[in-house]
Amino acid sequence: MNDNPAAPAAGADGNPAPAPVHLCPECGRAFTSARGLGAHRRRAHANEYHAEAALAHRSRGSGNWTDEEKAMLARAEATLIYEGRFRPTSANLQLAGVFPSRTDQAIKARRRTADHKTRVREIVDELNAPHPGPEVAEVPVPDSAALVVAYAAVLDTGGELAPGGGMDWGDALLTEAFAELTTLAGANDPVALKARAVEAAERHAEHVLRSARARPQNRAGGAGRAPPVHTRPAPVAPAGRRQLRRTQYKEVQSLYNRDRRRAAEHVLSGDWSRQVARAAPPGTFAYWRDLFETGSAPDDRDVAPIGDTKWNLANPITVAEVLSGLKSTRQSACGPDRVDLRTLKQAPVASLCKMFNLWLVAEHLPTGYRMSCSTLIPKVNNPEHPRDLRPIAVASHVVRLFHKILAIRMARECPLSERQKAFVPVDGCQMNLAIIDAVIHQARTLKSAVHLAFLDLAKAFDSVSLHTIERAMARMGCPPPIRHVIMSGYQDARTVLSYGGQTLGEARLTRGVKQGDPLSPLLFNFVVDEAIQAGLLCPTGVSVEGERVSILAFADDLVVCCSTPVGLQNTVDTVLGVLRSGGLSANPGKCRALHLEVDRKAKKWYVDTTRALTVGGTPVAAIGPEDTCKYLGVLVGAAGKKASYGNILEDGITQLTHAPLKPQQRLFLLVNHLIPKLMHRIVLGQVYRTQLCRMDQRVRVACRAWLKLPTDVPDAMLHASVGSGGMGVPSLVTRIPLAKQRRLAKCLTASDPVVRAWHRVSLSN
């Protein structure tokens, strides 16, 4: 390649060599080979290069039928035959609507093949075959009386393992209630039995809540302390710079001493420099009140259980489960009942066990425990619209412990699809990003065209229908007692909304799951699982080492993968159709589509931005050759994962330098908050060793300036562990490769066959 066209090289005979003949049409740069010109244009003029490649490919026609197109054509014709809408005389015209890129003659030629006729016949036979449903094991269904006897039998297994923590937990009321319920169980009157259980649960809850409110307040923040009254006064503007700095120092130091995590957010976001407290965006309370109080969409679809009913989910809650739940619960804010975690851990475990079993018998969560406090957390810096906030609900610690026990049971007995990676014990971010990388690699190696749709659901957790949640639990095999006690927590439920330390008002919860509750992630996954299964049934997808990939999910972040644009549109419509029945809808403005086409004749792959994907009738923006889309915090583009850390490190160091902090506080926030915030994007995204070296150098310069270290202090003192006499500052150039290796090693033992296929692809490269 001749990089300097102004000075042509001399030939062997001393005469000037012929001038280069390959000129770049965009910048006029000359090259001696077509390959050099193509590499230059792909890198320097990506948009023009890919547009020209797309035009040249389309001018040669659609090419051979792909496996996905063959399967979709056979499925479309078989569906017309099954539904009685097939017209032999105009069949080609009927099917032309499914494949607008194919001519009538191409469809006619494909339909004449023996392979197509065999596929159609098999699909029609499959549609006409009876569907008895999954084989359901013969499981005895216990009646209410039998459940009461089972619940009462477990109560004698636990004694009072701890003092009451200054509260009366109503153990006498519980013992009396179960004695009466055990007597009623022999009368064989389930209606009266349940009514009495509900009455006993309400009376006991009222007694416990009254005892909690009657406790003296503790100024140290222990048991009995009421939640702080959110009435922050309007700040007074300081008189001058010195007074302003003193005010900022007082606020930052007070927050750092109370909650270092919040102090880190306050400093790194730049909020510490604002003289006026950040107010809620205009119309925040009305927006969220209307969203919460809009009734749930009806969902009258038939339930198709994927297995037998798991009656063991309704087994009595044991002392061991309560102790395990308490041990794994971390410190967090108390709910409206003012019972903090320390008070709950001091409660008699037997009383908690009896209380939870009484709720299971009654299939009813007491009304006093349905109240929650929802704090609106900004999703972006400087939110300007209420939709830029996320509500985090805080219910009673007692309810959270009960739901945690149920969530552990349900997660163990009700397995989800392998495609769902959120809220499950796997490295979901690493696996989904690795699969996307493998799928994009199929196009870059000219094996298959790839079409991806990144779907964003609008207010997914806050908009899902309560009817769909109950239906999803029934589909997963949850027995009626479990479904009823969970759904009772959403009947007449209310929440108090607050933002920035100020109370906004109270709203009724008529739809959505409570973000922050231990059960909410699992319930949402149950709802999305049906849409995932519908997408997997579509005859579309991209093959990776023999494994078909058609849909990926991480909670409400969905990615649809297909090898044709028609298949992508059909699969997206199928998935969103299922979600729409549950009150969920996509946000077209945040959805993105990536179309990677392969021109095997020209031995090229290119990004086609002319393809149109629609979501709910609205076109979705296409990702161009130089564009990216953020997925799970990592930027993804036509070349796969890209550098995603941006200016996080530089901006964070700047804020730490200027914030009113002591030197050791700056060092603590750097090591424990800023660098971990950066690790996710560096480990999962693209990064080079030279970039890591520059980051380490920037960190060392900042630490030396903060601590005023002499110039002869070695770098090893900064990076050595505290136990070895160092300062514990992570060395990114050594830690990042090890972190990448550890996360990749976890994928080797993954149960997902697609992840194992990706590993085989990575080894071959």
Side-chain angles (χ1 to χ4, degrees), residues 290-540:
D290 296 343
L291 180 64
F292 285 145
E293 295 186 353
T294 301
S296 293
D299 191 350
D300 53 358
R301 293 175 292 170
D302 296 332
V303 179
I306 60 176
D308 58 332
T309 302
K310 284 79 173 177
W311 279 101
N312 54 342
L313 293 176
N315 287 344
I317 292 177
T318 63
V319 171
E321 288 180 300
V322 176
L323 288 174
S324 177
L326 287 173
K327 184 178 180 180
S328 60
T329 301
R330 296 183 178 180
Q331 182 65 44
S332 59
C334 60
D337 61 350
R338 297 195 272 179
V339 176
D340 61 356
L341 183 59
R342 187 173 70 177
T343 302
L344 183 64
K345 289 187 175 182
Q346 293 176 347
V349 179
S351 297
L352 296 176
C353 190
K354 293 178 183 180
M355 182 195 309
F356 296 156
N357 285 324
L358 179 59
W359 294 355
L360 288 179
V361 173
E363 303 176 11
H364 174 82
L365 185 69
T367 306
Y369 283 113
R370 300 177 189 175
M371 191 70 180
S372 62
C373 300
S374 295
T375 303
L376 298 174
I377 306 297
K379 296 190 291 185
V380 297
N381 291 332
N382 302 322
E384 299 180 355
H385 193 275
R387 63 171 172 265
D388 297 330
L389 307 175
R390 176 184 291 110
I392 302 299
V394 178
S396 167
H397 269 297
V398 179
V399 178
R400 280 182 269 174
L401 176 60
F402 176 63
H403 284 175
K404 186 174 187 178
I405 295 172
L406 295 184
I408 293 174
R409 288 185 174 187
M410 294 164 65
R412 181 177 61 247
E413 300 293 335
C414 306
L416 296 165
S417 169
E418 289 279 6
R419 302 277 65 78
Q420 178 62 267
K421 301 299 184 184
F423 310 116
V424 293
V426 297
D427 193 353
C429 293
Q430 170 67 42
M431 291 183 179
N432 273 9
L433 287 169
I435 293 174
I436 291 178
D437 238 9
V439 168
I440 293 177
H441 181 75
Q442 297 298 104
R444 292 173 58 86
T445 54
L446 308 182
K447 293 181 180 179
S448 169
V450 171
H451 300 268
L452 301 176
F454 297 86
L455 303 180
D456 179 84
L457 301 182
K459 300 298 176 187
F461 286 86
D462 309 309
S463 303
V464 60
S465 172
L466 298 182
H467 306 294
T468 304
I469 294 175
E470 185 171 8
R471 178 183 176 277
M473 285 192 289
R475 174 180 173 271
M476 300 300 294
C478 297
I482 297 297
R483 301 202 307 266
H484 295 164
V485 72
I486 292 175
M487 296 310 301
S488 66
Y490 289 92
Q491 296 175 2
D492 300 324
R494 294 179 175 272
T495 187
V496 177
L497 294 169
S498 63
Y499 175 81
Q502 296 181 352
T503 300
L504 303 180
E506 185 178 298
R508 293 182 298 108
L509 298 178
T510 59
R511 65 172 178 169
V513 295
K514 302 173 185 176
Q515 297 190 60
D517 186 89
L519 260 178
S520 296
L522 190 62
L523 296 179
F524 186 81
N525 277 354
F526 283 176
V527 173
V528 177
D529 186 76
E530 187 171 2
I532 295 175
Q533 296 296 342
L536 293 176
L537 292 177
C538 295
T540 58

Side-chain angles (χ1 to χ4, degrees), residues 596-657:
L596 301 178
E597 291 284 1
V598 172
D599 187 353
R600 288 188 174 88
K601 185 173 182 179
K603 296 182 180 180
K604 292 181 180 179
W605 66 272
Y606 62 90
V607 180
D608 191 354
T609 57
T610 62
R611 301 288 186 181
L613 175 70
T614 60
V615 170
T618 304
V620 171
I623 300 175
E626 299 178 331
D627 300 332
T628 58
C629 172
K630 181 178 287 187
Y631 178 68
L632 303 182
V634 176
L635 298 179
V636 178
K641 295 184 295 185
K642 293 191 174 183
S644 308
Y645 48 85
N647 297 322
I648 295 178
L649 181 63
E650 185 63 35
D651 295 343
I653 290 178
T654 302
Q655 294 296 339
L656 290 175
T657 302

Side-chain angles (χ1 to χ4, degrees), residues 187-210:
N188 197 19
D189 188 356
V191 177
L193 179 66
K194 184 176 179 180
R196 182 68 186 90
V198 171
E199 181 183 347
E202 289 287 351
R203 186 171 67 252
H204 174 263
E206 183 179 353
H207 175 84
V208 173
L209 293 173
R210 190 186 310 115

Side-chain angles (χ1 to χ4, degrees), residues 230-273:
H230 302 299
T231 55
R232 176 184 294 177
V236 179
R241 289 184 57 186
R242 179 173 298 180
Q243 183 63 30
L244 172 62
R245 189 65 175 179
R246 289 177 177 176
T247 303
Q248 293 173 346
Y249 179 83
K250 180 180 179 180
E251 179 182 359
V252 171
Q253 292 297 321
S254 175
L255 185 59
Y256 183 90
N257 293 331
R258 287 186 284 111
D259 190 339
R260 294 186 179 183
R261 182 185 61 82
R262 288 181 54 197
E265 296 175 356
H266 186 67
V267 170
L268 296 178
S269 64
D271 289 348
W272 66 271
S273 60

